[in-house]
Amino acid sequence: MKTLLKGGSVVSGSGVKRADVLVDGEKILRVGRGLTDAADTVTDVSGCLLFPGFIDAHTHFDLDVAGTTTADDFYTGSRAALRGGTTTVIDFACPNKGETLHHGLELWHQKADGRTFCDYGFHMTIDDWNEGIRAELPDMFAQGVSSFKMYMTYPAMMIGDRDMYWALKELRRLGGICGVHCENAGVIDGMIAERKNSGRLGPGSHPVTRPPYLEAEAVSRLLRIAQAADCPVVIVHLTNHEALKEVEHARRRGQIVYVETCPQYLLLDESVYFSDDYSSAARYVCAPPLREKAEQEYLWKALRRGDIQTVSTDHCSFTLAQKDMGREDFTKIPGGLPGVETRGELLYSYGVAKRKLNAAQMCRVLCENPARLYGLYPRKGLLRRGSDADIVVYDPRASHVIRADDCVANVDYNPYEGFVTAGGIRQVWLRGHLAVENGTVLDQAPQGKYMARGKNSL
């Protein structure tokens, strides 16, 4: 079956051009102006922008954490992702300490296979380091896992500087890439103890005990460890200009460093934590926390300059009832926000429409760069002959208000409630199949495929 999308403008990382897109089965057959090829279906997309399917390289579906399990599993989370234009997610397979990488990968396949609406892959979390873990790494690559994650906070997941150095050296030898959550665990724990001892147990203590300079310190330390290991790294969910300065220093030394940020750090600020209403504040708890409003402009400028390569969501959703677990102790509030459903419309509305980014830059950070960084390019991340026909039809005229009641994620609030979009997503095509139209997910059954990935080509 051939489908012709006619009359739109195709967005790539290098610009926007008027062009039609001819799809044959799951692949793009031709991109060009005024195509007259015979097609089984012709869809008029006049006035719309055609983006490659968005890639969210940072989600947490069906994750057991903080004494509970995320509200969105692969079924509900991927359905929300697809509705928001994300045609590929890369989630984190997370074995516990003492478990093998193979066990973690098998467990995540059990969670995701046959239950995922968009295409998907996995990063592998390394929260333990020994000869057994080292020996497993080559088989992770053989099974399509070429990217990894390590933590510099959370005792159940962090491995320490020495083991991080050894792990990075091994990943360097194998050609892998590693993302790192950067916060100074020891000082944070000390600050938390001080707040608890003084009886300050509300959500307002959350940002106070995880200040931006402790993120910057951890970024600096990681980059010196990576320098010793001679290994490229990814700083995930970076939030502030002090951390960015450490990245700039490392790049001037000749290091390869990639940076990710998230919509919550571009659009929300820490004032939400100081609401007198517990639930209104607790729903925004995530780590690193939201920062001062002034940090937003630094991040937008860094995106515009290309200093930040990707915008992911760190989608880690909990209901308000789950957030209520920390009513007597802010450290027991499950940390994370929903975001996979709204990322594309938010970045267009508050980036492109407000001239903080152009459409090509949006395409780079949502599509092309993550595809290159995580071994999906050129199958994903662009619209050209031979690529998967993952297409987001964005209509700049279809503005609307974001409301939790209209979303399909398995949560009862939305952090961006009341935000007004500039346009909206009219259609989402997954490998040549119309999957979403005017906000309705058309598929009744999951259609996602596991994406075995190659090595970084960014």
Side-chain angles (χ1 to χ4, degrees), residues 82-99:
L82 193 62
R83 184 177 184 271
T86 292
T87 53
T88 306
V89 296
I90 310 178
D91 203 82
F92 292 87
C94 299
N96 295 315
K97 285 185 182 292
E99 296 175 346

Side-chain angles (χ1 to χ4, degrees), residues 318-376:
F318 300 95
T319 65
L320 294 179
Q322 289 176 297
K323 291 285 189 177
D324 205 50
M325 294 167 59
R327 188 171 285 273
E328 304 301 327
D329 179 352
F330 70 95
T331 64
K332 295 181 180 179
I333 302 171
L337 301 179
V340 76
E341 195 166 349
T342 52
R343 176 184 57 143
E345 290 184 343
L346 288 171
L347 204 63
Y348 184 89
S349 301
Y350 294 90
V352 177
K354 291 187 177 294
R355 301 184 183 276
K356 293 182 179 181
L357 299 177
N358 59 42
Q361 291 166 327
M362 174 174 163
C363 183
R364 285 200 290 273
V365 299
L366 293 192
C367 313
E368 186 175 315
N369 286 350
R372 289 183 178 275
L373 182 59
Y374 296 115
L376 290 165

